[in-house]
Amino acid sequence: MLDINNAQFVKHVVFHPIEGFEDLRWKKKGSMLIAVGIVVLFFIQSIAYGRLYGFQYYVDYDKLFNIVPYLVQSVVLFLIWVVANWAMCTLFDGEGSMRRIFIYSAYALLPYIVCSLISTVLSHILVQDEEVFMTTISIVGVVWSIALMLSAMKAVHQFTIGKTLALILLTFVAMIGILFLLVLLLTLFQQVLIFLFSIYTEITYRVTM
Amino acid sequence: MKIIRKIVSAFAALLTATTLMSSAATAASENYENYSYDRWGDAVPSQAGYIADRAITGEMMGTKNLSEPADMFISDDGLMYIADKLNNRIVVTDLNFDAVIRVYETFDNGGETLTLKNPQGVFVDDYTGFMYVCDTENNRVIKCDKDGKVDRLFTKPDNSLYGTEITYEPFKVCVDEMGNVYVVARSVNRGAIMFDKNGEFLGFFGANTVMQTAEVIANAFWNLISTEEQMLRTTRSVPVGFSNFDIDGQFIYTVTETTGEQTADQLKKLNPRGDNVLDAIDMAGENFGDIMPAKYNEFAQESKMRDVDIGDNGEMNILDYEHGRIHQFDKDGYRLFIMGGKGNRMGTFTNAVAIESHGDRIYVLDSSKNTITEFVRTVFGGIVTEAMGYYNRAEYSESKELWETVLKYDGNYVRAYVGIGLAYLFEQDYETALGYFEIAISRYYYNEAFEGYRNAFLKQHFTVIIIVLAVLAVGIYILRRRLNKYKMYERGI
């Protein structure tokens, strides 16, 4: 059974939230290429959601476009999730490798991405009174993705449900820690740069005097 | 010699020409910046809708100078009533300001003579001709006729609903068509005190609300666990009482000096039930003052609204004393003009307290300069007003051409795009209307135009859509059958 290729496995996983990831695990399938593709789609979706929304619902400050927030919201957030999850799973004797966590998490995100893309398209067709359809679709996407993510984490580490929930909670804590350290690092490097630059200015003053 | 004279005369001519040009330029420019806000809320230069024409003192009117005047009112017959606070009198003048018509210092209350003590509000009921004066420090509102004969006194309500511990220092008064009297009193935050025409206390009207900000929620939490002594020291989460109001037909407009995060009730347009009708058109919670407040010494100075006045076309003039500016909006809350500023020159104010309008003029009372500044509508302002007139009568198509003229003067004028868009919407040219509403960022009207556009599109292309859907359905059905056959063949069935 289940002699299907990687692309077909994405469909199988998404529509079988309970045992899909277990099948993926025992068949040792899952393509890094597809996973990266999904993360790129995630990035595109976050831009589309922020920029291409129907005018009757949402107006963005469109005088300037800064790609960094969108990058942080999607790709960076996803990478931090993967790293934090991997770091935490080693403490819990989880089986997942970084590669597998990446692939499984990306697969689990698919319903959310697709649903929010659909609601972005719908926002150009529906008027304000019909907003409830879009909200419904968005909520379905989020709930579906959360269910898939639980199943994915359970399968990739071979955990019980309780342990999975504890892991996800700890992953969030670790993510906050990583983000904090990143910001700290950035500010410190900024300080160092300013320091070096002031030394440079000082020296140039002395030399030219 | 002749050549020299020629050169000199040419030079003189050039000099006169340049001085003339520069004087023309100075005549057109004001002592403050003329700006407006673009669709993103960024300040952009704009055309002046009104310019300051002159400042009038008490002496120019032929009486002693005003002393900290607190309020003024213009009645329908073109008379201005000024509450001259520290001189304890009400001054009546016509709008030429060359002679005072009457000064009320005493009132005859059936033989007893009443004097005023720091009067801070005056109102004239155009239907009955009665004058209402807020005799603030004497804790009463005097209703009298044109001769100063007192008809009724509105004193502190003897009612448990009002509360005995609350003071009664009325400082603004309004009367509606029914003769109900609305009084704003200091440190009363439950809204305007409402009396019927017989002086009976009816209740409060149009109270402000407390916005649920993080600070308010935190305070509510701390109050649960703190002692009474500690509770006294925390900031209290109570609504701010409104600072002024005006009445126009059945609507009462209130302004509130909002502080910090409590910005919801800056400007309200209340119907007789006390509901804010600006809610209905997406305008509630809009920043009616300066969107980006000026920053001095790193403290942002938020707009603080002191007075509101309704013009002939339903336009709302609101007075921001923090910046000395007048913000004019149309009846739906779209920005029209911003004028004025802080300072001592013509058209700027140090302590602006009251605003009134009459025809094409706006009057602003400054209580520390003790003057009334008169603003006159410009040609540009006139075009906008004319277009607004058509708009208010729902003659959108007639207003289109005027709005296009407005855009020739000022391409940033957001209200004009709304006007033109509405004209196209009215003519059912939805696609063009959509473009204009998008420029104006008017989501409310965009949504309406979009609904029309979508319905028209569906109606026009109904057969095509049905055919495409049918072809797609059949195509998918055939494809699936082919695919299934192919799969069965592969599996060897």
Side-chain angles (χ1 to χ4, degrees), chain A:
Chain A
M1 267 304 280
L2 282 169
D3 293 323
I4 48 181
N5 62 24
N6 273 320
Q8 285 165 319
F9 236 119
V10 175
K11 190 183 152 198
H12 177 73
V13 159
V14 168
F15 288 103
H16 300 79
I18 307 292
E19 80 280 352
F21 282 105
E22 295 289 344
D23 294 341
L24 194 69
R25 175 87 178 83
W26 294 116
K27 288 284 174 185
K28 292 196 166 50
K29 287 272 187 170
S31 149
M32 194 66 187
L33 194 71
I34 293 176
V36 169
I38 291 173
V39 173
V40 171
L41 199 67
F42 185 28
F43 174 57
I44 293 169
Q45 174 266 329
S46 80
I47 293 179
Y49 195 79
R51 286 277 153 176
L52 303 175
Y53 226 64
F55 192 83
Q56 62 268 46
Y57 290 103
Y58 175 72
V59 185
D60 200 55
Y61 185 84
D62 49 1
K63 263 186 186 172
L64 50 89
F65 176 71
N66 188 357
I67 204 162
V68 175
Y70 297 110
L71 210 61
V72 171
Q73 270 169 38
S74 55
V75 177
V76 174
L77 200 68
F78 182 76
L79 290 180
I80 289 174
W81 158 268
V82 171
V83 172
N85 194 286
W86 174 77
M88 281 296 132
C89 88
T90 50
L91 299 179
F92 276 76
D93 297 326
E95 278 186 19
S97 66
M98 190 99 92
R99 184 188 138 87
R100 280 215 180 119
I101 295 170
F102 188 99
I103 293 169
Y104 285 41
S105 303
Y107 281 18
L109 275 181
L110 204 56
Y112 165 70
I113 296 168
V114 170
C115 284
S116 97
L117 280 175
I118 291 174
S119 96
T120 309
V121 172
L122 277 183
S123 75
H124 288 273
I125 302 171
L126 302 181
V127 295
Q128 269 174 10
D129 291 344
E130 299 151 357
E131 196 179 353
V132 63
F133 293 107
M134 288 158 51
T135 336
T136 314
I137 286 171
S138 304
I139 290 172
V140 164
V142 169
V143 170
W144 195 347
S145 268
I146 288 174
L148 281 184
M149 193 57 99
L150 276 172
S151 164
M153 289 301 108
K154 191 167 164 291
V156 77
H157 299 308
Q158 294 294 304
F159 279 171
T160 58
I161 271 290
K163 223 173 164 188
T164 313
L165 285 173
L167 173 79
I168 287 176
L169 214 68
L170 275 174
T171 307
F172 283 134
V173 175
M175 281 171 81
I176 291 169
I178 291 172
L179 279 172
F180 172 71
L181 286 178
L182 274 179
V183 172
L184 197 70
L185 198 74
L186 276 174
T187 11
L188 285 179
F189 266 104
Q190 212 173 2
Q191 296 281 331
V192 170
L193 274 178
I194 290 168
F195 174 67
L196 288 178
F197 187 72
S198 53
I199 288 179
Y200 166 76
T201 4
E202 193 75 11
I203 289 171
T204 46
Y205 277 142
R206 304 282 151 146
V207 169
T208 48
M209 286 268 268

Side-chain angles (χ1 to χ4, degrees), chain B residues 113-188:
Chain B
T113 306
L114 300 181
T115 55
L116 299 172
K117 198 171 173 197
N118 292 351
Q120 289 184 35
V122 60
F123 184 89
V124 175
D125 187 354
D126 287 317
Y127 302 98
T128 59
F130 281 112
M131 177 168 81
Y132 296 76
V133 181
C134 284
D135 194 0
T136 307
E137 306 246 315
N138 285 330
N139 305 337
R140 64 190 174 198
V141 175
I142 298 170
K143 176 185 178 186
C144 63
D145 62 11
K146 288 270 153 71
D147 301 320
K149 239 176 112 248
V150 176
D151 181 70
R152 192 175 295 281
L153 292 175
F154 295 87
T155 50
K156 180 176 173 179
D158 183 21
N159 192 311
S160 59
L161 179 62
Y162 187 80
T164 44
E165 72 277 16
I166 299 170
T167 57
Y168 179 73
E169 287 180 35
F171 65 94
K172 288 292 173 282
V173 59
C174 256
V175 180
D176 69 9
E177 292 171 4
M178 311 289 292
N180 295 325
V181 179
Y182 302 83
V183 174
V184 185
R186 202 166 302 290
S187 69
V188 172

